[in-house]
Amino acid sequence: MIVGLEFEGIDWTAIRQALSLSLLKKRPLKIAGGGAFLSERPEYMPLFLDISDLVERTGAGKLSLGSGSIVFEPRGLGPGNIEFETRNNSSAVELLLFVMPALFFNDFRSVVRIGGVTHSHLSYSTAFVKETLLALLEKIGFYASLSLKKFGFYNSGGGSLESRVYPSEAAPWDFGGLGPAAVEGAKIIISRIDGRVAASERGMIMSGLGIGADRTAVLEVMDSPGFGNSVQVCVRAGGIPFIFSREAVFFNEAGDLVYDEEKNAAAFSGTLVSARDFSARGEFPPFVMREILPYLFLSGSRVPGSVDPNLKDSLNLCGALLR
């Protein structure tokens, strides 16, 4: 029987999570309003097309659009080696997040190699996945690794990452409180842009977070074919490095240069505020909780009663597909 989902505040993360859990459970799915969302937000269409291509090439099912909805007929995804190249306006991180749940529940290890765009404003940084998400999942018994082989920025691609995903050893986890949190440091990554941008961002980080130059690093990527500017702030809490990141937007999905200095500065400032607030309060960031919610369900862990109300759609889809 097909599962019908209708989200109150549909966004890309809800769509990706729904497709991912549908693949894991091999339950046919119809996402009402999914096609309309992609029409209204065309920047996410390349992600959808990449997932559709990946599903077809691996024999994992059939993904289609129709009457404003997304329809997925999954067949499952077995263990083995997966190799894929993203479009230049997509995200390798999103593809990895899509396949991980299904791969965790296989009997053997899988190796996922994805080329193309490793650093995209449409998703998280590879540092967040490796250092934050996978570290948290280990506590629940889900083990995976992530290695960034080469930087690849939005609109130019050319990067690559590799992940090894191991069979689940899931067990209930009560993470309780995180305890004290403190800013550990920050990293600025630039590619083919003026170094003065990094110098300015470094100054903002030092003044905004109250840390010295010895805890801010600048990395210039020399072998990338495209523009890139990534800022990553690390706040450690409960022994876990929480990565807050921002990727500058230089191009749209059509490849047009759309860099807006004011919007970029506002997004950068917002990242600093989020990191500073977390270091002050130590409360679980909603975007992190949203990504681990399915794994809490899958491991039989207690889902915190104080979950942010903005996570309602993720809670509902977990309830519909995992219970």
Side-chain angles (χ1 to χ4, degrees):
M1 180 180 295
I2 191 166
V3 177
L5 289 178
E6 188 167 355
F7 299 111
E8 289 185 11
I10 190 168
D11 63 3
W12 170 255
T13 298
I15 292 172
R16 185 252 298 157
Q17 287 187 327
L19 295 174
S20 184
L21 298 181
S22 170
L23 176 63
L24 165 63
K25 292 299 185 178
K26 301 178 187 177
R27 299 184 66 182
L29 175 70
K30 180 178 181 180
I31 305 174
F37 171 82
L38 293 173
S39 295
E40 295 167 3
R41 301 292 301 275
E43 65 268 30
Y44 291 103
M45 182 61 81
L47 295 178
F48 176 82
L49 293 175
D50 272 350
I51 288 179
S52 179
D53 288 347
L54 178 60
V55 163
E56 181 178 356
R57 293 180 193 181
T58 57
K62 181 181 179 182
L63 187 58
S64 59
L65 294 172
S67 301
S69 299
I70 294 174
V71 178
F72 186 29
E73 303 169 60
R75 290 193 288 269
L77 184 62
N81 295 332
I82 297 175
E83 297 194 10
F84 191 81
E85 188 82 15
T86 75
R87 289 167 167 79
N88 283 350
N89 46 10
S90 184
S91 166
V93 169
E94 283 298 303
L95 294 180
L96 176 61
L97 294 177
F98 166 68
V99 299
M100 275 202 318
L103 297 181
F104 276 129
F105 284 89
N106 284 324
D107 294 329
F108 303 99
R109 183 198 70 177
S110 294
V111 179
V112 183
R113 299 184 181 93
I114 306 177
V117 180
T118 60
H119 287 67
S120 170
H121 60 274
L122 300 176
S123 188
Y124 309 105
S125 66
T126 54
F128 165 76
V129 176
K130 178 179 180 178
E131 298 180 33
T132 307
L133 181 59
L134 295 185
L136 287 167
L137 294 187
E138 280 190 15
K139 292 183 175 294
I140 322 176
F142 295 100
Y143 297 92
S145 66
L146 175 60
S147 299
L148 175 63
K149 300 297 184 180
K150 186 178 180 182
F151 285 90
F153 295 99
Y154 189 88
N155 194 60
S156 58
S160 62
L161 59 79
E162 179 178 295
S163 177
R164 295 172 185 267
V165 183
Y166 296 86
S168 167
E169 299 177 24
W173 176 52
D174 185 359
F175 51 81
L178 288 170
V183 177
E184 193 166 85
K187 180 186 294 183
I188 301 164
I189 300 167
I190 60 172
S191 172
R192 297 185 177 273
I193 62 173
D194 196 314
R196 288 176 293 185
V197 172
S200 174
E201 291 174 339
R202 192 176 196 182
M204 292 175 65
I205 289 171
M206 291 166 60
S207 62
L209 299 179
I211 59 176
D214 60 324
R215 287 198 282 162
T216 62
V218 177
L219 172 64
E220 184 173 5
V221 181
M222 304 303 294
D223 61 349
S224 169
F227 298 132
N229 176 210
S230 179
V231 175
Q232 301 167 6
V233 178
C234 177
V235 182
R236 187 171 291 272
I240 300 292
F242 285 80
I243 304 297
F244 293 79
S245 61
R246 187 274 302 155
E247 202 74 36
V249 181
F250 289 98
F251 300 93
N252 64 14
E253 71 282 357
D256 302 319
L257 184 65
V258 294
Y259 181 77
D260 186 308
E261 187 173 349
E262 289 187 5
K263 287 183 178 180
N264 187 55
F268 176 57
S269 178
T271 300
L272 296 184
V273 169
S274 296
R276 187 170 62 241
D277 287 350
F278 176 59
S279 67
R281 296 198 296 266
E283 297 176 355
F284 229 85
F287 73 96
V288 181
M289 177 59 74
R290 191 174 189 187
E291 288 301 328
I292 69 170
L293 265 177
Y295 297 98
L296 293 177
F297 272 81
L298 289 166
S299 63
S301 300
R302 179 182 64 84
V303 177
S306 59
V307 168
D308 190 292
N310 292 328
L311 306 183
K312 186 176 180 180
D313 280 333
S314 291
L315 279 169
N316 288 342
L317 74 87
C318 286
L321 289 166
L322 299 180
R323 283 179 176 157

